[in-house]
């Protein structure tokens, strides 16, 4: 869906001088998808052409060259007609409907969505498939918790429905005691990560969890019903902090003090000075240093200012400023786009992280990232500051790729020791798979096998996904 995230090691090379066996199929309606499945077609579902990692014109060459055993198609679902309506406080979405369209529809009716991804042109169904969380997770929790129900096409080419009202333990798959035991052990392992956006493996508590975070490996989502909340006016306040890679003590003070304001602050985001440096000079909101910006319920602004902002010792009033919602949105969208363009010019792909840790470990994570800046490779740091969830990205030259890969391997070994989540937001896809293996225990592997055999016995859905990993 949104997510085959191609962020590959150097060993994966694009070679164009061989005959392509991979087919790109435009799926323009659900019946066409059903027909593909009934014919036994294998596919990787692609719902949004919004990747900031790899140009989509190179996907065919990549898969064909590096996964020659894959005899299947790329199912392009971006042509499925969008349908959406508000039914009370529930947004019902079918087909290729984007977050931007959802925001406009809800706002016109006095409602708003609780998930706010940086790339608003991404499809909602794709976001559910990868359990993408967006920036408002700080206040509103994860996307999977906003899902009321899901419809999906199964391996027989039939549509099925899942409800969040139903516990997964009551699903027919878990009638047998052996299957129930696997689920209990899986859920016990998940307890360690309950406070995270996404664990190293998807949550399995409600029926709807079978589609959220599994990246289209058990079926293709065709419809989702999402909770919404009443519309309110928002204020965007920016804090200008020192450069984190020189001194991140002020950042930790802001982080610790913001934790008790999740009922009044929608999101708490971070952009470092290196990220800002990729913007044209006239677009940069500060001359030097990093920025943290807060999305605040206007009705709570006075209280937030008095009890929080004015109490931050490392930031004075001259280092705070307001920005319009439109300009803030433009800023946060342009950062990854300009970084992506820079990588394209160098002919390389960024080497990025998606790590989340517990609040008490945030300073440790910042220290790890600071240590990673000593390699002489350009880097950026941005992301979901209030959630202890930042994206550190290397932008290497071709001769630096191997070095970056080794550093990231060591980072993820440390994340295992910290019991953090390696990929808290953007899914695993293909290239992150080597990093995820160390996070899986027998319960996860047994569960993946159980689910695949039940929902996808012929391995038609994204057959190279993380559920198919060997031990």
């Amino acid at each position: 869906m949104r997510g085959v995230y191609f962020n590959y090691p150097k060993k994966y090379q694009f070679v164009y001088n061989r005959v392509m066996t991979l087919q790109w199929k435009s799926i323009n309606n659900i019946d066409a998808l059903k027909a593909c499945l009934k014919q036994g077609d294998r596919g990787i579902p692609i719902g949004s052409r919004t990747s900031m990692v790899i140009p989509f014109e190179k996907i065919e060459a990549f898969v064909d060259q590096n996964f020659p055993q894959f005899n299947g198609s790329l199912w392009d679902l971006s042509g499925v007609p969008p349908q959406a309506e508000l039914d009370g406080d529930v947004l019902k979405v079918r087909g290729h409907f984007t977050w931007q369209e959802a925001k406009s529809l809800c706002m016109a009716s006095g409602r708003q969505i609780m998930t706010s991804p940086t790339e608003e042109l991404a499809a909602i169904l794709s976001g559910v498939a990868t359990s993408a969380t967006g920036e408002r997770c700080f206040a509103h929790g994860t996307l999977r918790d906003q899902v009321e129900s899901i419809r999906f096409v199964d391996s027989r080419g039939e549509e099925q429905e899942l409800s969040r009202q139903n516990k997964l333990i009551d699903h027919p798959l878990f009638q047998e005691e052996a299957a129930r035991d696997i689920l209990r052990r899986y859920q016990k392992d998940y307890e360690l990560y309950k406070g995270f956006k996404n664990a190293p493996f998807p949550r399995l508590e409600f029926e709807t969890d079978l589609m959220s975070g599994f990246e289209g490996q058990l079926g293709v989502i065709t419809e989702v019903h999402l909770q919404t909340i009443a519309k309110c006016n928002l204020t965007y306040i920016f804090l200008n902090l020192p450069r984190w890679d020189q001194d991140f003590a002020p950042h930790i003070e802001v982080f610790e003090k913001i934790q008790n304001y999740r009922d009044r602050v929608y999101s708490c985001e971070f952009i470092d000075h290196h990220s800002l440096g990729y913007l044209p000079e006239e677009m940069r909101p500060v001359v030097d240093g990093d920025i943290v910006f807060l999305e605040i319920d206007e009705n709570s602004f006075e209280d937030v200012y008095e009890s929080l902002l004015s109490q931050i010792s490392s930031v004075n009033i001259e280092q705070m400023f307001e920005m319009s919602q439109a300009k803030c949105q433009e800023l946060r969208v342009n950062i990854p786009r300009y970084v992506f363009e820079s990588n394209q010019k160098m002919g390389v792909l960024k080497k990025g992280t998606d790590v989340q840790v517990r609040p008490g470990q945030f300073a440790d994570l910042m220290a790890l990232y600071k240590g990673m800046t000593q390699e002489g490779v350009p880097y950026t740091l941005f992301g979901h500051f209030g959630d202890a969830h930042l994206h550190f990205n290397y932008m290497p030259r071709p001769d630096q790729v191997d070095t970056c890969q080794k550093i990231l391997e060591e980072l993820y070994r440390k994340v295992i020791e910290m019991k953090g989540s390696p990929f808290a937001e953007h899914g695993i896809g293909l290239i992150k798979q080597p990093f995820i293996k160390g996070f899986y225990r027998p319960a996860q592997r047994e569960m993946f096998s159980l689910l695949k055999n039940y929902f996808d016995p012929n391995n038609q859905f994204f057959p190279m996904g993380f559920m198919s990993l060997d031990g």
Side-chain angles (χ1 to χ4, degrees), residues 48-300:
S48 297
R49 297 194 177 205
T50 56
S51 173
M52 289 291 114
V53 177
I54 176 175
F56 269 84
E57 64 268 18
K58 294 184 178 180
I59 289 179
E60 295 157 282
F62 168 74
V63 176
D64 186 66
Q65 181 65 29
N66 298 293
F67 294 89
Q69 74 278 15
F70 174 57
N71 181 24
S73 309
L74 292 170
W75 296 329
D76 181 4
L77 301 167
S78 61
V80 178
Q83 301 175 36
E85 65 170 332
L86 266 173
D87 183 1
D89 60 355
V90 175
L91 175 65
K92 298 180 178 180
V93 172
R94 189 170 176 85
H96 190 267
F97 198 72
T98 70
W99 292 105
Q100 185 179 74
E101 292 168 324
K103 179 185 287 187
S104 298
L105 174 63
C106 290
M107 294 289 276
S109 301
R111 307 293 298 178
Q112 58 186 335
I113 54 177
M114 292 184 279
T115 295
S116 181
T118 300
E119 181 49 81
E120 292 189 338
L121 296 180
I124 290 178
L125 301 188
S126 303
V128 174
T130 53
S131 193
T133 57
E135 297 174 357
R136 292 179 176 172
C137 182
F138 184 73
H140 303 308
T142 64
L143 175 57
R144 63 172 178 266
D145 287 325
Q146 299 159 23
V147 172
E148 293 280 346
S149 64
I150 290 175
R151 291 183 65 83
F152 72 100
V153 174
D154 65 17
S155 60
R156 296 170 297 178
E158 299 176 0
E159 271 195 277
Q160 304 288 339
E161 185 166 352
L162 302 169
S163 172
R164 195 174 187 276
Q165 300 302 313
N166 298 330
K167 291 280 190 179
L168 187 58
I169 194 76
D170 297 323
H171 189 277
L173 171 59
F174 298 102
Q175 288 182 347
E176 299 293 331
E177 182 57 33
R180 295 171 76 89
D181 177 65
I182 293 173
L183 179 58
R184 282 192 288 262
R185 287 189 286 114
Y186 184 99
Q187 291 175 331
K188 183 178 179 181
D189 285 351
Y190 189 89
E191 286 290 321
L192 181 65
Y193 301 98
K194 230 175 179 182
F196 288 85
K197 293 179 173 184
N198 287 305
F201 41 90
R203 182 184 72 181
L204 284 175
E205 185 177 355
F206 306 101
E207 269 190 359
T208 47
D209 292 337
L210 289 167
M211 290 293 125
S212 183
F214 280 101
E215 303 179 18
Q217 294 177 91
L218 300 177
V220 178
I221 300 173
T222 56
E223 183 175 328
V224 65
H225 295 182
L226 296 174
Q227 301 170 357
T228 65
I229 57 174
K231 174 184 173 182
C232 73
N233 294 322
L234 298 167
T235 298
Y236 294 82
I237 300 297
F238 283 65
L239 313 181
N240 189 186
L241 300 178
R243 297 185 177 195
W244 72 274
D245 45 11
Q246 295 177 359
D247 177 17
F248 58 77
H251 302 67
I252 300 303
E253 181 194 4
V254 174
F255 172 81
E256 291 176 346
K257 288 185 175 178
I258 197 71
Q259 297 304 311
N260 294 324
Y261 290 82
R262 292 176 182 264
D263 58 333
R264 286 154 284 181
V265 177
Y266 273 24
S267 60
C268 176
E269 298 294 302
F270 176 76
I271 304 174
D272 84 339
H273 63 287
H274 289 291
S275 303
L276 294 171
Y278 283 89
L279 295 174
E281 193 170 335
E282 66 274 12
M283 292 181 61
R284 300 172 195 171
V286 296
V287 175
D288 189 27
D290 306 333
I291 56 174
V292 168
F293 68 86
L294 311 179
E295 188 179 32
I296 305 171
D297 183 338
E298 195 174 87
N299 295 323
S300 303

Side-chain angles (χ1 to χ4, degrees), residues 52-55 57-58 277-280 336-350 395-398:
M52 289 291 114
V53 177
I54 176 175
E57 64 268 18
K58 294 184 178 180
Y278 283 89
L279 295 174
R337 286 180 178 172
Y338 276 98
V339 170
F340 177 65
E341 288 179 9
S342 176
N343 289 335
Q344 274 194 298
K345 291 176 183 177
M346 291 191 295
V348 299
L349 303 174
K350 71 179 182 182
M395 272 72 70
R397 299 188 310 266

